[in-house]
Amino acid sequence: MADRFLVSAVGAIVEVDVSSRDERFQRRAYEAWADARYDGAQEADAVTAVREGIDDDAALSWLSTDVTVAALAHRRNDPIWMLHAAGLADDRGRVVVLSAASGTGKTTAARHLARRLAYVSDETVGIDATGRVVPYRKPLSIIREHSAHKDQVALSGIHGPRPLPEGLRVAKIVVIDRTPDGPEQPQIDELEFSEALELLGPQTSYLGEGEAPLQLIAAILDATGGAVRIRYREVVAIDELIDDLLATETRPLGPVAPRRLDETVVPREGTFVRSAVVDELERDGRTVLLRRTLTGGRIHVLDGIGPALWSAADGRTLDELTSAVIAEHGAPEGADARSLVDAAVRELVEDGLLQTAAPQT
C-alpha cells in the first residue's frame, strides 16, 4: 500500500503523506480519495501530511480539510473563482454550481444528484476566466450517527464510478437554501447582481487576492445569465429545476480587465480620500467595492448618493462633496443637503471606505 499519493484539487496537485500511519489507515485514505487521485506526470504543488496524535477517524476528517487548505492557498493569486460549492456535470460537461454555507445541504445535494450527473465537488468549484471548471472530487464528508467525526467516503464507492466529461464549463451559479420549513415545491428566484455578490462573496476563498476578482465574478455571472436562488425542503424535489438550469444557454465570457488605478492625490488637511480597494465596478447605478480584510475580503455595495461620494472623494472637503452630490442628484426637497452628505460620509468612514486626510508634515 502506497504511503504517499497525489490528488488533484481545484487545479492544484497535492501530495498526501500518510507514511506516519499504519497500513490499514493508508488503505482507508487511499480508497477515500479514489475519485481525486492523480496519476499524471505533474509534480506536486503542495504536500499535506496526515495529523498525528489523534485517532484514525479524526485524522481522515482533518486530512480533507488540510488538503483543501493547501490547494486553495496554492491557487490564491491565480485568476480563478474558488467558490465554496458543490458541482455536478451533465454529459456535455456543463456544470451547475450549488453554493451555500457549510452544513446547509451541499453534500446532500451532491450525493443525490450524482446518481445521474457526474460529481465535480462537494467543497470547492474553481471557475477560470474562460468559464472552464476545474474539479475537486474530494471524499464526501458524511455524518455518522454517534460519531464526532464525519466519514470520508469516495462517491464512486456509493454510486459506482462515473468519469468526468471532457471540457467542463460553468452553466449556472445557484445559491441553495434548504430549510426544514422550506416550500414543498422548490422555488427559484433570480438574484440581482449586488444581491448575488453579497451571498456568494462570503463563500469565495481568497476573495481579496488575485487580479480583478470582481471583474472575474461579474463576467462569469453575466455569461451564465446571472445567479439564482433555489428554496426547498427536500433535495429529491430539485431534479427538474437542476435539469432546466443545465439546459440554460450561456454566452462566451467577456474580457476580464483589472480596474484603473487612481492617480496619486496629495490631499489637503480636512478633506476626504478613498481608502485602498482591491477592485471596483459599476453596475445598475451602484458601485461595488472589494476591500481586503484580515479574513480575506469584504464586498461593499454603494447605492443612493454613495457612488457619487466615492467618485468625488479625491481630496475634497465636506462642502465640496455636497456640491458634487447636488450636481449629480439635485438638491433634496425638504432636507439639508450638507447634513445628509455628512451622515453618508460618516457611514463610509466607519465602513473603512473613506478616510480623513491627515495634516501634511
Side-chain angles (χ1 to χ4, degrees):
M1 176 55 59
D3 60 8
R4 297 171 184 263
F5 55 89
L6 300 178
V7 300
S8 177
V10 203
I13 304 302
V14 179
E15 179 182 288
V16 179
D17 178 1
V18 291
S19 59
S20 64
R21 295 275 174 160
D22 61 22
E23 185 174 338
R24 178 178 178 274
F25 181 92
Q26 293 173 10
R27 182 177 296 105
R28 288 181 65 188
Y30 191 78
E31 291 174 352
W33 287 88
D35 298 331
R37 288 201 305 265
Y38 173 76
D39 298 319
Q42 181 178 330
E43 294 184 359
D45 298 308
V47 178
T48 296
V50 64
R51 297 191 184 195
E52 300 184 32
I54 54 178
D55 64 42
D56 284 359
D57 289 344
L60 276 175
S61 181
W62 277 110
L63 188 59
S64 281
T65 299
D66 293 342
V67 170
T68 300
V69 170
L72 298 182
H74 176 74
R75 302 221 61 184
R76 62 186 297 170
N77 295 313
D78 293 343
I80 181 173
W81 185 10
M82 297 187 293
L83 187 58
H84 188 46
L88 290 304
D90 65 13
D91 292 339
R92 297 178 295 166
R94 293 168 59 82
V95 179
V96 62
V97 180
L98 309 177
S99 180
S102 296
T104 57
K106 291 187 306 300
T107 296
T108 301
R111 183 174 180 179
H112 169 74
L113 293 169
R115 289 180 170 88
R116 55 191 185 81
L117 298 171
Y119 172 63
V120 175
S121 185
D122 80 327
E123 165 61 35
T124 299
V125 175
I127 310 169
D128 72 13
T130 70
R132 183 176 67 95
V133 170
V134 285
Y136 179 25
R137 306 183 83 190
K138 63 174 284 293
L140 296 185
S141 298
I142 299 175
I143 296 175
R144 183 175 61 180
E145 190 175 1
H146 307 306
S147 174
H149 303 284
K150 296 180 180 179
D151 277 344
Q152 305 300 307
V153 181
L155 185 59
S156 59
I158 300 173
H159 296 319
R162 183 189 293 273
L164 281 173
E166 296 290 334
L168 296 177
R169 297 191 64 80
V170 61
K172 200 68 175 179
I173 307 292
V174 182
V175 175
I176 57 173
D177 184 3
R178 179 187 64 86
T179 56
D181 58 350
E184 291 187 11
Q185 293 299 318
Q187 297 178 358
I188 185 168
D189 304 304
E190 294 184 0
L191 296 173
E192 291 187 357
F193 180 77
S194 58
E195 186 178 12
L197 280 182
E198 289 174 343
L199 291 170
L200 297 171
Q203 305 308 324
T204 298
S205 297
Y206 292 107
L207 178 61
E209 307 295 333
E211 189 176 44
L214 287 182
Q215 313 294 329
L216 173 62
I217 293 173
I220 292 171
L221 292 180
D222 287 345
T224 55
V228 298
R229 174 168 47 200
I230 297 179
R231 305 176 190 272
Y232 64 97
R233 184 181 304 181
E234 299 293 342
V235 70
V236 294
I238 69 173
D239 289 76
E240 185 175 344
L241 282 180
I242 296 299
D243 289 342
D244 289 343
L245 294 174
L246 283 168
T248 302
E249 291 300 321
T250 59
R251 303 193 305 271
L253 264 69
V256 178
R259 73 182 184 92
R260 179 182 61 82
L261 295 177
D262 294 333
E263 296 179 359
T264 302
V265 174
V266 180
R268 296 165 288 157
E269 182 179 351
T271 61
F272 295 91
V273 293
R274 292 181 287 267
S275 300
V277 295
V278 177
D279 199 5
E280 64 179 278
L281 56 85
E282 305 293 329
R283 183 61 64 98
D284 303 326
R286 299 179 175 93
T287 296
V288 184
L289 306 171
L290 175 58
R291 190 166 58 90
R292 185 171 289 118
T293 66
L294 293 176
T295 57
R298 179 184 173 189
I299 290 174
H300 302 263
V301 179
L302 306 184
D303 56 12
I305 65 173
L309 288 173
W310 173 259
S311 177
D314 54 0
R316 300 195 190 186
T317 65
L318 182 62
D319 287 336
E320 290 169 335
L321 290 176
T322 302
S323 297
V325 169
I326 291 175
E328 183 166 336
H329 292 278
E333 295 184 6
D336 178 60
R338 192 178 189 279
S339 296
L340 294 176
V341 169
D342 181 50
V345 167
R346 289 177 183 274
E347 185 174 345
L348 292 176
V349 170
E350 289 177 2
D351 283 344
L353 295 174
L354 295 186
Q355 301 178 41
T356 305
Q360 298 299 305
T361 57

